[in-house]
Amino acid sequence: MIRCTKCNLPETHETITFDSDGVCNICLNQDKRDAIDWGSRKKSLDELISQYKGKGTYDCMVPFSGGKDSTWTLYYLVKEYGLNPLVVQYDHGFMRQNLQDNVKKVCKELGVDILSYRSNWKTVRKLMLQSFIEKGDFCWHCHTGIFAYPMWIALEKKIPLIFWGEPSAEYSAYYSYDDEIETVDETRFNRFQNLGITAEDMYIRLDGAVKKRDLQAFTYPPLNDLKALGYRSVCLGSYVKWNVKEQSQIIMDELGWTGDEVENVPPEYGFEKIECYMQGVRDYIKYIKRGYTRPSHLSAIDLRHDKISREKALKNIDEYEGKRPPSLDIFLESLGLNEDEFYEIASSHKISPWQFDRSKITPGKKTHDFDSWERHSGMPREETEVQLIKWKEITS
């Protein structure tokens, strides 16, 4: 596969292109970031906050996973501006204990109100299987729930200002740092966050197996209602230069936030993706589809900023990528799939020119907390087969 001559990301990376020197557009976008007048952006943030601070019960909302980026966002807004935010967490159903402990510590330390919501598991497992079948990505309920559910709460609680973390321009080319401010709106939601599948699509595809009312949390609220609220939904990283390692260290020192071991990720990146114990499965599917996973992504960020040698990056990739995560057993049990069906579905989404070879896969090791991970009830096999039969009818 062709790889970026600077960050080593492969040609199968989403939205990637290369210039005549073999440098990818993600790297070039970072160069644009470095040219931004961040002092001017900070003044714009000051002005934005002054319009909303003290005008309601809450000054703003912070959608919150408890990971490094949302924690930094919350920390910065409270410490820098003295805001009183409502923290809103969409619980995707696979939260790890350390993450939950972090959430408690952070919210207590900062003195903020928090709402947490978890969707009906019987609905979620159907959505997971359907999105895995259609897109090779079982996280549709998470992608949509994280970005849609807080907007419903914004309407309910009449909170017009919503702050997200880093802009998507940090990691992809759906948006560019050429754009003045990246708005987290319905256009962005439909552009890539919902994988091109609306809640209405899911309802039709599942043919009545879920109720429409069970899908509200995954549906973006009506634009007219949001406009009537006077909403502003923006990324803090559009106003403040993002630096993941520095920010992670600050929240560790100031809030007692702690990182964790993640399946098939080098230990030096223990601040990354600690929220979900299905992360290893998500990365493994990405390997089957695209031939790389999180070690490549994390090494790419460090290579762009000269924080790692190319030799070390390649060593990490060789040591940690392409291993079967122990969490795959939990995933298969949850959705009523066998392993051959899993590989058949995931392999149907391979991106050329990558060629996946199952015979070369070796097992990954369990994390320290693996045995404590919650085992949800599995989907009855007959329900799984209904969705698989429809998929095979369409693809045959």
Side-chain angles (χ1 to χ4, degrees):
M1 293 192 294
I2 298 171
R3 291 181 176 267
C4 175
T5 54
K6 184 174 183 178
C7 76
N8 200 48
L9 278 181
E11 60 185 303
T12 53
H13 179 71
E14 204 166 12
T15 74
I16 202 168
T17 59
F18 302 94
D19 71 5
S20 57
D21 295 319
V23 178
C24 76
N25 52 339
I26 317 299
C27 286
L28 297 173
N29 202 25
Q30 295 302 298
D31 294 338
K32 296 173 185 176
R33 185 188 78 154
D34 295 338
I36 289 173
D37 181 350
W38 289 104
S40 176
R41 289 287 183 94
K42 177 63 165 57
K43 290 179 181 177
S44 296
L45 179 60
D46 295 343
E47 293 170 2
L48 175 64
I49 287 175
S50 69
Q51 296 173 35
Y52 294 92
K53 186 176 181 181
K55 303 295 174 61
T57 304
Y58 297 102
D59 298 318
C60 67
M61 175 191 290
V62 177
F64 189 75
S65 69
K68 65 186 188 312
D69 296 308
S70 60
T71 299
W72 166 258
T73 299
L74 181 62
Y75 168 83
Y76 185 87
L77 293 172
V78 172
K79 292 294 186 180
E80 180 72 10
Y81 290 99
L83 295 184
N84 177 35
L86 177 62
V87 177
V88 178
Q89 181 187 59
Y90 178 79
D91 180 347
H92 43 62
F94 304 103
M95 298 289 191
R96 298 173 68 181
Q97 187 58 54
N98 178 62
L99 183 282
Q100 296 180 58
D101 293 342
N102 277 338
V103 170
K104 292 177 184 177
K105 284 188 290 188
V106 167
C107 290
K108 286 180 179 178
E109 184 65 29
L110 294 176
V112 295
D113 294 350
I114 180 168
L115 291 177
S116 183
Y117 170 81
R118 180 190 284 200
S119 298
N120 179 330
W121 169 243
K122 291 185 178 181
T123 298
V124 164
R125 65 191 184 190
K126 290 183 175 71
L127 298 173
M128 288 174 63
L129 179 56
Q130 191 64 30
S131 64
F132 178 46
I133 287 171
E134 290 198 39
K135 296 293 183 177
D137 184 343
F138 62 88
C139 300
W140 182 90
H141 79 286
C142 184
H143 300 316
T144 55
I146 284 173
F147 285 94
Y149 175 73
M151 304 307 292
W152 287 104
I153 298 300
L155 288 173
E156 178 186 324
K157 302 292 186 183
K158 296 181 171 54
I159 308 171
L161 181 60
I162 302 98
F163 276 109
W164 307 83
E166 77 282 20
S168 65
E170 276 291 299
Y171 306 128
S172 70
Y174 284 110
Y175 288 86
S176 169
Y177 276 108
D178 285 336
D179 302 321
E180 183 63 22
I181 296 295
E182 185 176 327
T183 302
V184 186
D185 57 9
E186 187 174 16
T187 298
R188 187 181 191 263
F189 183 79
N190 289 329
R191 190 173 185 181
F192 63 92
Q193 281 159 346
N194 68 1
L195 307 178
I197 304 173
T198 67
E200 181 67 23
D201 292 333
M202 276 295 188
Y203 177 74
I204 293 171
R205 285 165 162 88
L206 290 170
D207 195 23
V210 297
K211 296 180 175 65
K212 278 191 175 182
R213 66 186 183 187
D214 293 333
L215 298 177
Q216 180 176 317
F218 315 112
T219 307
Y220 212 80
L223 182 58
N224 286 341
D225 293 347
L226 291 170
K227 285 183 175 179
L229 178 66
Y231 86 117
R232 291 291 304 278
S233 179
V234 297
C235 299
L236 180 63
S238 292
Y239 299 93
V240 177
K241 192 174 183 180
W242 220 246
N243 188 313
V244 167
K245 287 190 173 179
E246 287 183 9
Q247 292 165 189
S248 297
Q249 191 60 55
I250 290 171
I251 60 176
M252 289 177 190
D253 295 341
E254 297 293 325
L255 302 176
W257 186 93
T258 57
D260 212 338
E261 182 183 15
V262 179
E263 287 180 322
N264 299 332
V265 173
E268 60 264 35
Y269 297 110
F271 52 81
E272 177 76 18
K273 290 298 178 185
I274 67 167
E275 300 94 318
C276 177
Y277 59 81
M278 284 291 107
Q279 185 60 47
V281 178
R282 179 168 166 77
D283 282 344
Y284 187 50
I285 293 171
K286 188 172 186 176
Y287 183 79
I288 296 169
K289 290 165 55 179
R290 298 179 182 271
Y292 78 103
T293 61
R294 195 150 299 277
S296 286
H297 162 74
L298 295 169
S299 296
I301 295 171
D302 281 348
L303 284 168
R304 290 185 195 115
H305 300 289
D306 299 318
K307 301 293 186 182
I308 191 175
S309 68
R310 198 171 186 87
E311 291 72 26
K312 173 60 174 170
L314 293 174
K315 184 176 183 295
N316 280 346
I317 291 167
D318 181 64
E319 186 173 349
Y320 289 94
E321 289 195 345
K323 298 187 184 300
R324 183 193 185 281
S327 58
L328 181 59
D329 293 323
I330 302 175
F331 176 80
L332 296 176
E333 181 182 342
S334 295
L335 299 191
L337 290 171
N338 62 49
E339 198 149 343
D340 287 337
E341 290 167 339
F342 167 80
Y343 281 111
E344 182 182 6
I345 295 168
S347 296
S348 72
H349 296 281
K350 287 200 303 289
I351 306 299
S352 180
W354 167 245
Q355 293 296 319
F356 172 70
D357 187 347
R358 182 178 172 183
S359 68
K360 294 182 179 180
I361 295 301
T362 57
K365 76 180 193 70
K366 293 181 179 180
T367 61
H368 66 94
D369 60 340
F370 176 84
D371 291 333
S372 69
W373 292 352
E374 181 181 359
R375 265 61 169 181
H376 300 287
S377 60
M379 189 185 300
R381 179 62 191 181
E382 58 270 21
E383 292 184 19
T384 300
E385 288 178 348
V386 168
Q387 290 179 243
L388 291 177
I389 289 169
K390 288 182 179 179
W391 169 58
K392 291 181 178 180
E393 286 175 349
I394 292 170
T395 57
S396 62

